Amino acid sequence: MASEAPIHLRRTLSVKDLIVYGLLFIGPTAPMGVFGVLDAKSGGATALVFVVATVAMGFTAWSYARMSRAVPRAGSVSAYATAGLGRWPGFFAGWMAGLDYLFIPAVAALFTGIATHSLVSGVPTWLATGVGIIVFTALNLAGVGIAARVGMIMLVIEVVVLAMFIVGAIVVLVHDGPSRGWLSPLASTSNLAIGGVLGAVSVAVLSFLGFDAIATFAEENTGSSRQVGRAVLFCLALAGLLFVAQTYLADLVSDVSPQHLAAHPDEQGTAFYTVIRHAIGGWFGTTVSAVKAVGPVFSALVAQAAVSRLMYGMARQGHLPSWLGRVNPRTRTPRAAILVSAAATLILAIWAATQPNGLDTLSSMVTVGALVAFVLLHASVFGYFVVRRETRAGSAGVRTAATVVPALGVAIIIALLIKASHLALVVGACWLAVGIAVAVARYVTGHRGDPSDGAPSAPSDETDARTP
């Protein structure tokens, strides 16, 4: 009897949907939370920090764009490392990226809980956090198309709030003039310290984490495999532009000096909101707080969708139990993987919500996994295009780009890893140790998977899989 045809993910995402998912994950107003830290570290050159950070992350975006075109698989960095480096590097790339994707929904849900509690003190943080997790899990289970449409509404609201801030700041500048020099956001309020700017960049790049999630939807996009790469690059460029614009204006209208923030670190976390209240008005601060209570739910929605696709892809490759690679026939979503992610998020977020330093603890854990996965991503570009030469258009220029860009990307990421917190490095090392144990157990028990992973062919033009 013929075996039943496998059920695949449904192709419903346009390039617009992919960009919406990427921007939701990043968050157009992401710099608001770290503005004070960056202002203090850079001596007031916060806009310059985001210019440098955008360029720095551009190397990683380039590698994602190249590999997503050549290997259009839902496993994202796991599939890329498998194609460029081999099966086990592919496993560890996916495993380390999973650490980042598992913690980000918990952090985002906790942000929602904290913001909701600050607006309605009678609602406990843990309760609001749990409700947020239930909401975005239900949306993901309903299907990627529904989640994208709902997410679009939230993205529009966030963009409107950001536009209100930009207009309000411009009105203040026209009426009262800047509190600092017009060029200070790009040159600091005193002598520009390169070390301080680079230290701030190591924090600022974390605001961009999430643009890479676009690549996990490679098997759900409606266009060619080029579409994913274009969405990745466009999303990073647009986010960088929005980040530079809002921090430039915030620097100009801020009446609190970088030196004051450096001397009072307890004020850094709320520095942007202080700028809003003093320069524009308290009513707008309340509006921003309300949006911040809802917005993280949709960042978590994309993060959960991304990790479920990562687990789905790794399960098809034999790296994880096969039941995680099954697709619900009605909604065409990896339901089991979504529910596993939801359970992990619920446990982590509720625990953190009951701890006095829960947010700091969770936040410190979300970076190392992604950065290690980025290193393997860059290595996979070199392995795929230079070592294996998996392209018919393998010109010297192509091979040079596939050598130089990944090398620069790896150098930047290593610098960021050196500056990572001790706790994050310890957690990353423990996660890696667990991954080694899982890999050994899977190998010994014979679960070695199918290198072809059973993925459907992506729609593409005839050069998609042959050009970088």
Side-chain angles (χ1 to χ4, degrees):
M1 184 174 65
S3 60
E4 185 178 348
I7 301 172
H8 297 301
L9 300 172
R10 179 181 287 128
R11 294 189 177 278
T12 57
L13 298 180
S14 65
V15 67
K16 180 193 71 174
D17 295 326
L18 293 172
I19 292 171
V20 167
Y21 262 42
L23 289 176
L24 277 173
F25 202 155
I26 294 173
T29 58
M32 291 184 179
V34 295
F35 170 77
V37 175
L38 303 182
D39 200 41
K41 283 181 175 290
S42 65
T46 315
L48 175 63
V49 167
F50 275 107
V51 171
V52 176
T54 303
V55 173
M57 292 310 297
F59 294 105
T60 297
W62 184 92
S63 289
Y64 263 109
R66 293 302 175 265
M67 291 307 294
S68 67
R69 186 188 307 175
V71 187
R73 297 288 184 264
S76 183
V77 68
S78 176
Y80 307 156
T82 298
L85 304 173
R87 288 191 50 74
W88 293 111
F91 167 78
F92 285 109
W95 183 263
M96 295 308 295
L99 176 63
D100 172 48
Y101 286 155
L102 282 174
F103 277 103
I104 283 181
V107 173
L110 186 54
F111 273 133
T112 290
I114 292 171
T116 302
H117 178 69
S118 69
L119 289 172
V120 186
S121 58
V123 178
T125 299
W126 67 266
L127 179 59
T129 299
V131 170
I133 294 170
I134 292 171
V135 169
F136 64 72
T137 299
L139 287 171
N140 271 323
L141 289 172
V144 69
I146 294 175
R149 288 193 291 272
V150 176
M152 181 65 180
I153 296 172
M154 188 62 224
L155 181 61
V156 168
I157 293 173
E158 287 198 56
V159 171
V160 168
V161 169
L162 179 56
M164 290 170 63
F165 165 74
I166 290 174
V167 171
I170 291 175
V171 170
V172 171
L173 290 172
V174 171
H175 187 266
D176 300 324
S179 298
R180 305 179 185 177
W182 286 103
L183 293 180
S184 64
L186 297 170
S188 88
T189 58
S190 54
N191 295 324
L192 183 65
I194 300 301
V197 171
L198 293 179
V201 168
S202 70
V203 176
V205 294
L206 304 181
S207 298
F208 290 99
L209 291 184
F211 74 91
D212 52 295
I214 293 173
T216 64
F217 301 103
E219 292 177 31
E220 292 164 277
N221 88 91
T222 55
S224 76
S225 56
R226 291 175 178 268
Q227 184 167 280
V228 173
R230 290 168 179 164
V232 168
L233 292 169
F234 181 83
C235 186
L236 177 68
L238 180 57
L241 179 63
L242 295 176
F243 290 178
V244 170
Q246 64 192 277
T247 53
Y248 178 83
L249 292 171
D251 269 333
L252 291 180
V253 300
S254 175
D255 57 1
V256 179
S257 70
Q259 293 74 25
H260 175 86
L261 289 173
H264 299 83
D266 57 306
E267 298 180 17
Q268 293 176 7
T270 57
F272 200 100
Y273 304 103
T274 301
V275 170
I276 289 174
R277 287 196 302 272
H278 289 175
I280 301 177
W283 65 270
F284 189 57
T286 302
T287 301
V288 172
S289 296
V291 171
K292 284 294 187 181
V294 179
V297 168
F298 294 90
S299 294
L301 178 146
V302 181
Q304 185 188 72
V307 74
S308 67
R309 271 65 178 178
L310 179 65
M311 289 191 288
Y312 165 79
M314 292 180 70
R316 283 191 324 201
Q317 293 172 326
H319 293 318
L320 295 177
S322 60
W323 52 270
L324 289 171
R326 295 172 187 162
V327 174
N328 181 275
R330 184 177 62 84
T331 61
R332 296 289 186 89
T333 58
R335 182 169 60 182
I338 291 173
L339 291 175
V340 168
S341 172
T345 298
L346 190 65
I347 293 171
L348 289 169
I350 296 298
W351 169 82
T354 60
Q355 305 300 311
N357 62 340
L359 181 59
D360 290 340
T361 302
L362 278 185
S363 298
S364 68
M365 298 177 183
V366 302
T367 59
V368 171
L371 294 178
V372 172
F374 289 170
V375 170
L376 290 170
L377 163 72
H378 288 301
S380 71
V381 174
F382 181 79
Y384 190 86
F385 291 105
V386 180
V387 177
R388 298 189 175 187
R389 299 193 180 190
E390 296 286 349
T391 172
R392 297 181 187 176
S395 66
V398 168
R399 292 194 296 274
T400 299
T403 301
V404 174
V405 175
L408 292 173
V410 168
I412 291 169
I413 291 166
I414 289 175
L416 298 177
L417 283 170
I418 291 173
K419 291 181 174 292
S421 71
H422 176 72
L423 176 60
L425 292 173
V426 170
V427 171
C430 292
W431 183 254
L432 177 60
V434 174
I436 292 173
V438 170
V440 170
R442 301 284 295 173
Y443 185 84
V444 169
T445 56
H447 294 88
R448 301 172 192 177
D450 176 7
S452 68
D453 85 6
S457 299
S460 62
D461 57 48
E462 61 182 7
T463 62
D464 271 343
R466 300 199 298 263
T467 60

